């Protein structure tokens, strides 16, 4: 299992720890900042290797570098977004990508009214130019932000163009060949989960009153 999957929250929070050159951080302080207990912190970070010193703590700068290297943040990764509707446009403008080494390099769509327009300082290209765009810019990551009905066709075109990692925001499952990684983000399911927890809290409060 990749280290960042074994300890995603710890890795992410460790990357946000403020820079402290030459000042080691004790495990208890690091654990408090990461929102976990020291034992879990040591276990999670052990997936990355041994970067702490007994009795001293962690060298924050070195640990941050090792985490960044492990999760691919020591270089920039260009991505292409397919589907420049409301969601695709919002994703193209999201500033959080740049802090993670992700750069939106291209936007493509099938709608003639969108092709040629400028979104987030990027000219929207035709999906028919996808192969050329991916090859010219050495893009390996694609984002699907289309309606569900178009998701599989888009996935097929991304794979045919040479994309090997896909982030799928469309409300549909897509099938890809071996060697291609897909991560699905279903906002409706996430909201349903929150609604479920709200319902449970409401039920607990009702029982408490009675």
């Amino acid at each position: 299992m990749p280290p960042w999957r074994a300890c995603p929250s710890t890795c992410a929070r460790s990357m946000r720890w403020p820079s402290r050159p030459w000042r080691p951080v004790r495990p208890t302080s690091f654990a408090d900042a990461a929102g976990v207990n020291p034992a879990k912190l040591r276990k999670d970070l052990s997936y990355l290797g041994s970067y702490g010193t007994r009795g001293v703590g962690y060298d924050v700068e070195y640990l941050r570098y090792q985490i960044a290297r492990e999760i691919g943040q020591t270089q920039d990764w260009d991505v292409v977004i397919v589907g420049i509707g409301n969601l695709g446009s919002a994703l193209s403008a999201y500033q959080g990508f740049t802090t993670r080494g992700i750069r939106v390099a291209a936007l493509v769509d099938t709608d003639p009214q969108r092709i040629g327009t400028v979104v987030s300082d990027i000219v929207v290209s035709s999906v028919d130019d996808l192969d050329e765009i991916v090859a010219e810019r050495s893009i390996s990551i694609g984002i699907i932000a289309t309606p569900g009905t178009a998701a599989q066709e888009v996935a097929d075109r991304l794979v045919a163009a040479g994309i090997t990692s896909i982030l799928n925001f469309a409300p549909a499952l897509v099938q890809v060949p071996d060697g291609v990684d897909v991560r699905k983000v279903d906002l409706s399911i996430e909201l349903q989960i929150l609604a479920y927890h709200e319902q449970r809290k409401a039920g607990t409060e009702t029982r408490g009153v009675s």
Side-chain angles (χ1 to χ4, degrees):
M1 177 183 293
W4 60 269
R5 286 191 178 178
C7 53
S9 61
T10 304
C11 284
R13 289 166 180 166
S14 297
M15 289 298 292
R16 294 196 295 267
W17 185 274
S19 178
R20 297 178 60 176
W22 313 111
R23 294 178 59 192
V25 177
R26 297 190 63 81
T28 51
S29 299
F30 216 162
D32 288 343
V36 297
N37 63 54
K40 177 169 174 54
L41 175 83
R42 286 190 290 269
K43 178 181 178 182
D44 285 352
L45 295 183
S46 70
Y47 288 102
L48 298 170
S50 295
Y51 300 121
T53 303
R54 183 180 295 275
V56 176
Y58 292 97
D59 181 330
V60 174
E61 288 303 302
Y62 186 61
L63 181 59
R64 280 161 58 96
Y65 170 76
Q66 294 299 333
I67 293 174
R69 186 182 68 172
E70 196 67 49
I71 63 178
Q73 287 188 19
T74 53
Q75 70 179 83
D76 289 333
W77 296 91
D78 285 348
V79 305
V80 56
I81 300 177
V82 182
I84 314 305
N86 291 333
L87 178 57
S89 297
L91 290 172
S92 72
Y94 178 54
Q95 298 299 311
F97 288 146
T98 57
T99 62
R100 300 291 182 179
I102 303 297
R103 178 172 54 209
V104 177
L107 308 175
V108 302
D109 204 287
T110 59
D111 187 345
Q113 294 186 341
R114 291 195 180 113
I115 296 170
T117 61
V118 177
V119 176
S120 300
D121 296 325
I122 301 173
V123 177
V124 178
S125 301
S126 169
V127 72
D128 293 332
D129 298 326
L130 185 60
D131 290 14
E132 181 180 353
I133 291 170
V134 169
E136 284 185 352
R137 306 182 189 185
S138 300
I139 299 174
S140 58
I141 302 174
I143 298 178
I144 300 176
T146 65
T149 52
Q152 185 61 57
E153 180 182 355
V154 170
D156 292 342
R157 299 192 73 156
L158 286 170
V159 172
I163 294 295
T164 52
S165 292
I166 296 173
L167 181 60
N168 178 24
F169 280 92
L173 296 175
V174 297
Q175 302 296 319
V176 297
D178 292 341
V180 177
D181 294 313
V182 176
R183 300 286 293 176
K184 178 164 173 47
V185 179
D186 193 323
L187 300 179
S188 63
I189 288 180
E190 298 302 323
L191 286 171
Q192 285 179 337
I193 292 172
L194 291 176
Y196 165 75
H197 287 299
E198 287 300 314
Q199 181 65 29
R200 289 196 61 185
K201 286 186 283 187
T204 301
E205 291 173 359
T206 300
R207 288 193 295 274
V209 171
S210 62

